[in-house]
């Protein structure tokens, strides 16, 4: 049984930020703070994203505390550029990351938390959970989904538009990923688009400034303080076409269809009897928070969410969720990492190194 004061679960942006601040605030590496990361290499979820996603597409990422993101020409693959930045960061600050370690469950063990992993047991006085969403892609159930004989995949499985050349690909979902992938895939395939609700487009040229950002955070924070599941960012911000998607817009790629009512072996059908053959269904339907390992702690409310007060859960103040709810962004993850570290320093007092 390995013992530490604070176990950080996940080494993405939020997890690295928390580890950096915990070390800076006096928690000794490994005995005071350890980071358990399920990935085989640095980079968090970024290492798993599709090759065609460039730094231009993601508009860069927020700086990790203490080191700016290196200059980017924009053409670099995000799944290589960001992991290299994270790897260099871990090395520079000698962060106590252990990988690959899959945390299977966290439960109370007296005054401590017991973490069961695929690499043995850990005990900790507090938990900082930074597992994000990548490992919980969401595909909604529709009648007949199991009968479809074509290909079904989630954006988490997407490897590039080339595999769909000449095909008829149904894209499902109203988020930013759907908008981006529609532009890519429509260059080599036909791409009908369906969403549950009409997409809400932001006004062209509207600046996404600090005030809008504060409004978004306030709305998401209101939900998690009430114990409700956080909504997607797009549900609050709306959609906006980027420069590289304007050509697709002019071609009519973003003509949206209402949601179908059932899936057939060779396509989909609507409630009015209309049917359409498709070769593949791409579910751009988002992700859910990866929190199943925390289930033994019984943190969820009847509404399905986890009631939060800042970064810590209301039912267990020694469990912090960062990169969750209002901190589910690179900037938000950084801030939450600092906030969680400061609160745990005051609560636990770091042991002498």
């Amino acid at each position: 049984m390995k013992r530490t004061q604070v176990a950080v679960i996940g080494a993405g942006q939020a997890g690295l930020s928390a580890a950096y601040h915990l070390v800076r605030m006096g928690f000794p590496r490994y005995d005071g703070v350890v980071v358990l990361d399920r990935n085989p290499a640095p980079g968090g979820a970024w290492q798993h994203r599709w090759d065609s996603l460039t730094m231009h597409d993601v508009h860069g990422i927020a700086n990790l505390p203490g080191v700016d993101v290196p200059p980017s020409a924009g053409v670099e693959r995000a799944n290589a550029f960001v992991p290299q930045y994270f790897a260099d960061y871990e090395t520079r600050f000698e962060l106590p990351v252990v990988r690959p370690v899959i945390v299977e469950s966290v439960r109370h063990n007296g005054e401590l938390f017991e973490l069961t992993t695929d690499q043995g047991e850990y005990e900790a006085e507090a938990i900082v959970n930074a597992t994000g969403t990548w490992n919980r892609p969401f595909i909604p159930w529709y009648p007949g989904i199991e009968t479809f004989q074509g290909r079904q995949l989630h954006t988490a499985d997407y490897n590039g538009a080339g595999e769909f050349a000449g095909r008829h690909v149904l894209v499902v979902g109203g988020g930013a990923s759907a908008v981006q992938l529609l532009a890519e895939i429509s260059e080599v395939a036909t791409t009908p688009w369906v969403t549950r609700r009409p997409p809400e487009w932001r006004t062209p040229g509207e600046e996404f400034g600090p005030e809008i950002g504060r409004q978004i955070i306030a709305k998401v924070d209101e939900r998690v303080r009430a114990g409700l599941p956080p909504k997607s960012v797009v549900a609050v911000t709306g959609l906006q076409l980027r420069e590289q998607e304007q050509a697709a817009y002019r071609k009519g790629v973003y003509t949206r269809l209402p949601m179908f009512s059932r899936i057939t072996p060779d396509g989909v059908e609507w409630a009015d009897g209309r049917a359409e053959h498709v070769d593949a269904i791409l579910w751009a339907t988002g992700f859910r928070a990866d929190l199943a390992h925390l289930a033994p702690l019984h943190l969820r409310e009847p509404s399905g969410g986890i009631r939060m007060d800042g970064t810590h859960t209301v039912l267990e103040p020694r469990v912090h969720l960062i990169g969750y709810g209002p901190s589910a962004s690179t900037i938000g993850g950084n801030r939450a990492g600092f906030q969680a570290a400061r609160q745990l320093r005051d609560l636990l007092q770091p042991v002498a190194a």
Side-chain angles (χ1 to χ4, degrees), residues 278-327:
V278 297
D279 299 306
I281 302 174
L282 174 58
W283 297 95
T285 42
F287 299 79
R288 298 293 184 264
D290 183 13
L291 301 175
H293 53 288
L294 300 180
L297 299 179
H298 304 293
L299 300 173
R300 288 199 182 274
E301 301 287 332
S303 57
I306 296 177
R307 192 180 299 272
M308 302 292 297
D309 182 2
T311 61
H312 70 77
T313 67
V314 170
L315 293 179
E316 177 47 88
R318 294 175 299 156
V319 174
H320 290 252
L321 306 185
I322 59 177
Y324 174 83
S327 64

Side-chain angles (χ1 to χ4, degrees), residues 26-349:
F27 287 88
R29 295 168 177 85
Y30 300 104
D31 290 339
V33 55
V34 67
V35 184
L36 305 177
D37 185 35
R38 70 178 297 139
N39 288 295
W46 290 98
Q47 64 195 281
H48 305 300
R49 299 185 187 273
W50 49 95
D51 289 348
S52 59
L53 185 71
T54 68
M55 294 305 293
H56 176 62
D57 294 322
V58 301
H59 299 293
I61 61 169
N63 297 325
L64 283 162
V67 179
D68 290 349
V69 179
S72 166
V75 298
E76 300 91 344
R77 281 171 33 194
N79 62 9
F81 185 91
V82 179
Q84 186 59 58
Y85 171 49
F86 284 12
D88 292 344
Y89 188 84
E90 290 181 18
T91 300
R92 176 190 290 247
F93 295 108
E94 300 179 340
L95 297 182
V97 182
V98 182
R99 64 167 57 90
V101 177
I102 298 175
V103 177
E104 298 166 346
S105 68
V106 180
R107 63 185 70 249
H108 288 105
N109 182 6
E111 295 299 313
L112 300 174
F113 295 101
E114 183 177 309
L115 292 79
T116 300
T117 83
D118 65 339
Q119 300 297 320
E121 309 292 316
Y122 285 80
E123 282 186 336
E125 298 174 39
I127 302 294
V128 176
N129 193 83
T131 46
T133 62
W134 186 260
N135 292 304
R136 282 204 63 204
F138 173 69
I139 296 179
W141 183 86
Y142 280 88
I145 189 171
E146 72 283 353
T147 70
F148 184 62
Q149 295 179 3
R151 184 181 177 196
Q152 295 190 66
L153 72 160
H154 190 273
T155 49
D157 308 307
Y158 179 74
N159 290 315
E163 59 185 324
F164 299 111
R167 313 299 284 175
H168 195 51
V169 182
L170 183 71
V171 178
V172 183
S177 293
V179 170
Q180 178 191 339
L181 298 185
L182 278 162
E184 287 189 15
I185 300 171
S186 66
E187 294 182 1
V188 299
T190 53
T191 54
W193 181 32
V194 299
T195 66
R196 287 193 301 122
R197 294 182 296 271
E200 296 185 13
W201 299 98
R202 286 169 53 204
T203 304
E206 179 185 359
E207 290 295 326
F208 191 87
E211 181 56 33
I212 293 178
R214 283 190 289 270
Q215 293 173 11
I216 293 167
I217 291 173
K219 288 181 179 179
V220 180
D221 186 62
E222 183 180 352
R223 286 187 63 85
V224 298
R225 283 182 180 274
L228 298 171
K231 286 187 175 181
S232 69
V233 173
V234 168
V236 182
T237 65
L239 293 166
Q240 188 167 43
L241 295 175
R242 302 169 303 170
E243 177 186 347
Q244 56 266 50
E245 291 148 2
Q246 294 296 330
Y249 174 77
R250 290 190 291 271
K251 291 191 300 182
V253 169
Y254 298 112
T255 301
R256 168 260 181 188
L257 298 171
M259 200 67 199
F260 49 80
S261 59
R262 65 186 300 265
I263 300 174
T264 65
D266 69 345
V268 295
E269 288 184 0
W270 281 263
D272 61 5
R274 177 191 167 189
E276 184 162 357
H277 165 79
V278 297
D279 299 306
I281 302 174
L282 174 58
W283 297 95
T285 42
F287 299 79
R288 298 293 184 264
D290 183 13
L291 301 175
H293 53 288
L294 300 180
L297 299 179
H298 304 293
L299 300 173
R300 288 199 182 274
E301 301 287 332
S303 57
I306 296 177
R307 192 180 299 272
M308 302 292 297
D309 182 2
T311 61
H312 70 77
T313 67
V314 170
L315 293 179
E316 177 47 88
R318 294 175 299 156
V319 174
H320 290 252
L321 306 185
I322 59 177
Y324 174 83
S327 64
S329 67
T330 56
I331 294 176
N334 278 351
R335 293 171 179 166
F338 171 73
Q339 184 179 353
R342 183 175 57 186
Q343 291 183 13
L344 290 174
R345 176 199 60 192
D346 296 342
L347 178 66
L348 301 181
Q349 298 299 319

